[in-house]
Amino acid sequence: MTNESPSGSTPAEADAFLAAYPQIEAIDIVLHDSNGIGRGKIIRRHELAGLFGHGRHVPISILGLDICGEDVHETGLIWDQGDGDLRAWPVPGTLKPLHNTTPARGEVFVSLYELDGRPMTSDPRHALQRQVDALAAEGLHAAGAFELEFFLLSNDRGPDGRVRPAADLLDGRESHRTEVYSVDHLHGMLPLFSDVYAGAELAGIQAETLISEFAPGQYELTLHYRTDVMQAADDLMRIKRIVRAQARAHGVTACFMAKPVEQYAGSGMHFHVSLMDDNGGNVFVEETEGAWRPTILHALGGLRETMAESMLVFAPHANSWRRFSSQSYAPVSPSWGFNNRSVALRIPAGDRIARRIEHRPSGVDANPYLVATTVLAGIRHGLRNRIDPGPAREGNAYKDGDSLAIARDWGEAIRAAQGSAFLKDALGEDMHRTFTAVKAAEYARVARTIPDVDYDLYLHTV
């Protein structure tokens, strides 16, 4: 058993934090599972020094839970291991104060390690770190940012029992129009968004552009590009907690389902990624505008070739698959193109110095650590094998078929992921087993649940 932090955290960080924030009484310690759900504890102020000095024992089963927080024995992390304790250690730089909490609280991310200090390989952070390290060994470093799309909903359902958009916080007016890009519509939610920006600033996140998105009650928040892709994933995890907490404080619900409203577009989590060399140069940048470099083409080729077997990572839940339909701003094939929002892999327009790939399949319900892990592995696969992505799609990519196809539904995606040698290598054998076992258990739960539509269609007719 080691008492030296394998994460690189030091007691000095805790001491400095406590000195800077004497009003803070408690700290959330947050470990993210395969679904991206924050699991952990709330500790008191006097316990923080012990967390940084000695870590904190937590049961191994914390990473073997399904979306409802119930054990999935097929992960091998429950009784096969005797549900023994491992040790959670703080992630350096993630200890932050939380905005608008009474009494004042802080937050720190933790990662799980074996008692001897080895990374616990069913922890999503460690899966991403493996790919980051593999890229670094090849002289490459991923930079990126995630976009956050979400709905703000009323706490009360409508007369039809369906969710409905949250009313304007300033005058109580309800709007059921799309309001896409309406600046005036944003003004009604400014009290909430002001708190979101304040929370982001306290957390060291540069939250940027806010827009009213393509459905009633839907919004998008962009985050500043990070040179460290792990930090980009941390930002996404943290900003979701901030949005959810501030929405609750203002009497509304922040919804991160991929498709909460059937007649409107769902919520994506687009991942913008570029590769830097050891000198900080972007290896995707072309010498002449539009004359694509082999590096970006091969990266696209790897992402296209591996997308079908990776879709479970990008669309991990039953609801995720309701987002994919023609002309929905969610891709239905592994297509690529320039300045084209109908494709899965988009090269955005703009200054070529900032050349990047926008990976568009993921819903906002996906785990950003696993999304980034799988995307980086796909890029490495393309670079290593010099894969040709084929011609760029122009115009409406929903209109015509693609030479490659993605899974058609959740069950097909689970089977593809279970049998994928690529995904097993990308996530690591333990993370792959844990993730696919959790998804299979959740599929079984949904399959045996009788939805209301069954009674509507069949109760009095068959």
Side-chain angles (χ1 to χ4, degrees):
M1 183 181 296
T2 180
N3 282 317
E4 182 176 343
S5 173
S7 71
S9 61
T10 64
E13 183 177 355
D15 294 342
F17 180 83
L18 294 173
Y21 300 102
Q23 75 278 18
I24 284 181
E25 296 184 13
I27 297 94
D28 298 357
I29 59 174
V30 184
L31 173 72
H32 294 103
D33 68 9
S34 64
N35 276 315
I37 293 175
R39 311 281 184 187
K41 306 179 181 183
I42 299 177
I43 63 173
R44 305 303 295 172
R45 176 184 178 89
H46 69 270
E47 297 179 274
L48 186 65
L51 173 67
F52 274 77
H54 310 291
R56 187 88 179 205
H57 284 117
V58 296
I60 189 173
S61 58
I62 199 170
L63 291 179
L65 304 175
D66 68 7
I67 196 74
C68 298
E70 295 187 9
D71 290 342
V72 177
H73 298 281
E74 292 79 5
T75 61
L77 301 180
I78 319 298
W79 300 121
D80 290 0
Q81 307 277 349
D83 197 17
D85 281 345
L86 297 184
R87 196 177 292 193
W89 289 92
V91 175
T94 66
L95 179 58
K96 304 289 183 182
L98 292 173
H99 173 67
N100 201 20
T101 54
T102 304
R105 297 199 331 275
E107 173 186 74
V108 64
F109 289 176
V110 296
S111 200
L112 204 58
Y113 293 83
E114 305 285 352
L115 296 180
D116 63 4
R118 289 177 296 120
M120 196 283 173
T121 47
S122 287
D123 183 328
R125 288 185 63 90
H126 294 317
L128 177 52
Q129 190 62 52
R130 283 181 63 249
Q131 292 299 327
V132 168
D133 292 344
L135 270 175
E138 297 162 7
L140 296 170
H141 311 275
F146 290 90
E147 295 175 5
L148 180 71
E149 294 180 358
F150 58 96
F151 282 78
L152 293 177
L153 303 175
S154 170
N155 290 342
D156 301 316
R157 301 286 183 94
D160 59 357
R162 305 294 181 89
V163 297
R164 59 181 182 174
D168 188 303
L169 293 177
L170 295 181
D171 62 17
R173 180 177 60 88
E174 292 189 15
S175 173
H176 295 274
R177 296 182 297 179
T178 301
E179 306 279 11
V180 65
Y181 280 89
S182 170
V183 177
D184 288 343
H185 180 65
L186 293 176
H187 289 170
M189 290 295 178
L190 280 183
L192 191 161
F193 287 124
S194 293
D195 275 330
V196 168
Y197 280 114
E201 184 176 1
L202 264 183
I205 299 171
Q206 193 170 333
E208 297 183 329
T209 306
L210 175 71
I211 66 171
S212 179
E213 256 290 358
F214 205 66
Q218 188 185 35
Y219 302 87
E220 179 185 276
L221 186 63
T222 60
L223 304 177
H224 189 66
Y225 218 68
R226 294 287 199 178
T227 55
D228 178 352
V229 76
M230 183 73 79
Q231 196 167 28
D234 285 345
D235 285 352
L236 196 283
M237 284 299 200
R238 200 183 295 272
I239 200 69
K240 284 179 71 174
R241 295 197 82 218
I242 291 170
V243 171
R244 183 177 284 116
Q246 300 315 314
R248 186 181 297 120
H250 286 272
V252 300
T253 297
C255 175
F256 299 107
M257 291 172 63
K259 182 78 167 180
V261 185
E262 63 188 48
Q263 66 266 42
Y264 292 104
S267 293
M269 188 181 70
H270 303 160
F271 178 37
H272 294 251
V273 60
S274 52
L275 290 185
M276 307 298 171
D277 61 25
D278 287 335
N279 297 316
N282 185 349
V283 302
F284 285 168
V285 175
E286 68 272 20
E287 292 185 8
T288 304
E289 186 90 24
W292 311 120
R293 287 185 67 175
T295 46
I296 197 168
L297 291 175
H298 294 152
L300 288 164
L303 292 172
R304 266 178 50 80
E305 187 170 283
T306 59
M307 189 175 295
E309 56 200 301
S310 304
M311 281 303 298
L312 186 62
V313 173
F314 311 141
H317 307 295
N319 179 259
S320 308
W321 292 85
R322 304 190 192 285
R323 176 172 161 261
F324 296 101
S325 61
S326 181
Q327 302 182 66
S328 63
Y329 291 96
V332 295
S333 67
S335 51
W336 79 277
F338 172 71
N339 195 23
N340 186 339
R341 285 184 170 84
S342 68
V343 299
L345 303 166
R346 172 178 174 247
I347 300 178
D351 190 340
R352 62 189 178 88
I353 300 302
R355 189 64 72 213
R356 64 195 185 277
I357 295 170
E358 180 187 5
H359 185 272
R360 296 174 59 83
S362 297
V364 73
D365 56 343
N367 183 333
Y369 298 114
L370 298 187
V371 169
T373 298
T374 307
V375 168
L376 296 190
I379 288 174
R380 290 182 57 233
H381 174 74
L383 294 177
R384 185 169 57 250
N385 296 289
R386 304 181 64 83
I387 297 172
D388 182 353
R393 296 298 299 271
E394 297 183 0
N396 187 356
Y398 293 112
K399 188 175 181 180
D400 302 313
D402 194 282
S403 59
L404 299 175
I406 61 175
R408 293 169 295 180
D409 58 39
W410 194 29
E412 185 177 324
I414 291 172
R415 291 188 291 274
Q418 288 170 329
S420 171
F422 163 77
L423 199 59
K424 182 179 289 188
D425 181 67
L427 301 179
E429 186 172 348
D430 291 338
M431 185 73 251
H432 177 266
R433 183 191 64 251
T434 298
F435 179 65
T436 56
V438 166
K439 294 296 105 184
E442 291 172 2
Y443 181 89
R445 177 190 292 271
V446 171
R448 67 175 176 261
T449 301
I450 301 174
D452 288 343
V453 69
D454 278 20
Y455 296 113
D456 291 341
L457 293 176
Y458 311 122
L459 180 61
H460 300 292
T461 57
V462 296

Short mmCIF file of all heavy atoms in Angstrom, two decimals, residues 6 30 166 247 286:
data_model
loop_
_atom_site.label_atom_id
_atom_site.label_comp_id
_atom_site.label_asym_id
_atom_site.label_seq_id
_atom_site.Cartn_x
_atom_site.Cartn_y
_atom_site.Cartn_z
N PRO A 6 -0.26 8.74 -6.24
CA PRO A 6 0.13 8.39 -7.61
C PRO A 6 -0.42 9.37 -8.64
O PRO A 6 0.02 9.37 -9.78
CB PRO A 6 -0.48 7.00 -7.80
CG PRO A 6 -1.64 6.96 -6.87
CD PRO A 6 -1.26 7.80 -5.70
N VAL A 30 -15.55 13.89 -6.21
CA VAL A 30 -16.32 13.37 -7.35
C VAL A 30 -15.46 12.45 -8.20
O VAL A 30 -14.41 12.85 -8.73
CB VAL A 30 -16.84 14.53 -8.22
CG1 VAL A 30 -17.72 13.99 -9.35
CG2 VAL A 30 -17.62 15.54 -7.39
N ALA A 166 -38.82 25.71 -19.86
CA ALA A 166 -38.91 26.59 -18.69
C ALA A 166 -39.38 27.97 -19.12
O ALA A 166 -39.03 28.47 -20.19
CB ALA A 166 -37.55 26.69 -18.01
N ALA A 247 -29.43 25.90 -12.44
CA ALA A 247 -30.82 25.74 -12.87
C ALA A 247 -31.71 25.40 -11.68
O ALA A 247 -32.79 25.97 -11.50
CB ALA A 247 -30.91 24.65 -13.94
N GLU A 286 -2.98 23.11 -43.25
CA GLU A 286 -2.53 22.96 -44.63
C GLU A 286 -1.75 24.20 -45.07
O GLU A 286 -1.96 25.30 -44.53
CB GLU A 286 -3.72 22.74 -45.57
CG GLU A 286 -4.65 23.92 -45.75
CD GLU A 286 -5.77 23.99 -44.70
OE1 GLU A 286 -5.61 23.36 -43.63
OE2 GLU A 286 -6.77 24.69 -44.94
#
